[in-house]
Amino acid sequence: MGSSGINAEYMGSSGINAEYMGSSGINAEYMGGQIRLADGRPLCRYCREPYTMRDAPGVRLRELFCCRDCYEEYTIRSGSSGEVRKQLARVDGGVCQLCGLDCRRLFETARALEAPAREKLLRGSGLTPASCGKKRFENLLQPHVTEGQFWEADHICEVARMGGECGLENYQTLCVVCHKKKTAAFARWRQGVIGRATTRVGPEAAKAVPE
């Protein structure tokens, strides 16, 4: 059932015909990875509404989505880390939402420094081998360091807590130190849940806790 409610004939990759049922009573068929109406108009891959190709800018958008908003929402919800980070950088500006560290400014300052001076700057900003991990810290001292190494796109509600396939509202910018702390805290919480379930009900109950 599509949200636009359009009857369509769906052709899968196996070559077997199946029916795509909506509610508007318009026949359509599935061609080239997209459902199209009988008049040739495609249905947006995200909102499932029909649109005219000339109204959607960009080659990929013209083929699959009715507008840029639908394209961005689809790629975010389908787990595209590149799109999530791009949109999150636009919203948060590279600032950690827990401690307030301006990761973008730190990166821009750090990349212009040689390793000894950069290490001093990082340590002064709270980034140490202990706080962000030895391997991560070593990478931050490399000549070709990138902004993405200074922050993470964090799920506010973790995937294991049903936070997957979410929109941008469930993401936040965290510096690598805060992200490491939050990840560790969640791991402790999860182990506690498993431990209590095992104690009260038995080992089989632990299997219900998502990975």
Side-chain angles (χ1 to χ4, degrees), residues 51-71:
Y51 66 97
T52 304
M53 285 187 177
R54 62 175 178 271
D55 294 334
V59 174
R60 188 172 184 185
L61 294 179
R62 183 164 62 245
E63 293 175 350
L64 301 176
F65 304 94
C66 66
C67 63
R68 186 170 296 278
D69 287 344
C70 279
Y71 166 70

Side-chain angles (χ1 to χ4, degrees), residues 96 98-99 125-128 130-133 136 152 154 158 172 174-189:
C96 178
L98 291 184
C99 72
S125 301
L127 279 70
T128 67
S131 67
C132 66
R136 167 84 72 166
E152 298 285 354
D154 174 69
E158 291 84 355
Q172 63 181 345
L174 292 187
C175 70
V176 292
V177 174
C178 287
H179 186 261
K180 185 171 182 287
K181 290 179 180 178
K182 183 172 181 287
T183 301
F186 174 71
R188 290 193 297 271
W189 170 85

Side-chain angles (χ1 to χ4, degrees), residues 148-162:
Q149 293 174 276
F150 284 78
W151 61 275
E152 298 285 354
D154 174 69
H155 284 86
I156 297 173
C157 176
E158 291 84 355
V159 173
R161 282 175 165 166
M162 307 302 289

Side-chain angles (χ1 to χ4, degrees), residues 57-117:
V59 174
R60 188 172 184 185
L61 294 179
R62 183 164 62 245
E63 293 175 350
L64 301 176
F65 304 94
C66 66
C67 63
R68 186 170 296 278
D69 287 344
C70 279
Y71 166 70
E72 292 177 350
E73 192 67 23
Y74 179 88
T75 51
I76 288 172
R77 290 181 180 276
S78 62
S80 171
S81 59
E83 186 65 28
V84 169
R85 292 182 68 92
K86 183 179 75 173
Q87 295 300 323
L88 201 57
R90 177 179 58 81
V91 174
D92 292 341
V95 176
C96 178
Q97 299 302 291
L98 291 184
C99 72
L101 177 66
D102 191 331
C103 302
R104 178 174 294 170
R105 179 176 295 180
L106 179 61
F107 158 70
E108 292 173 348
T109 303
R111 67 175 175 175
L113 301 176
E114 297 296 329

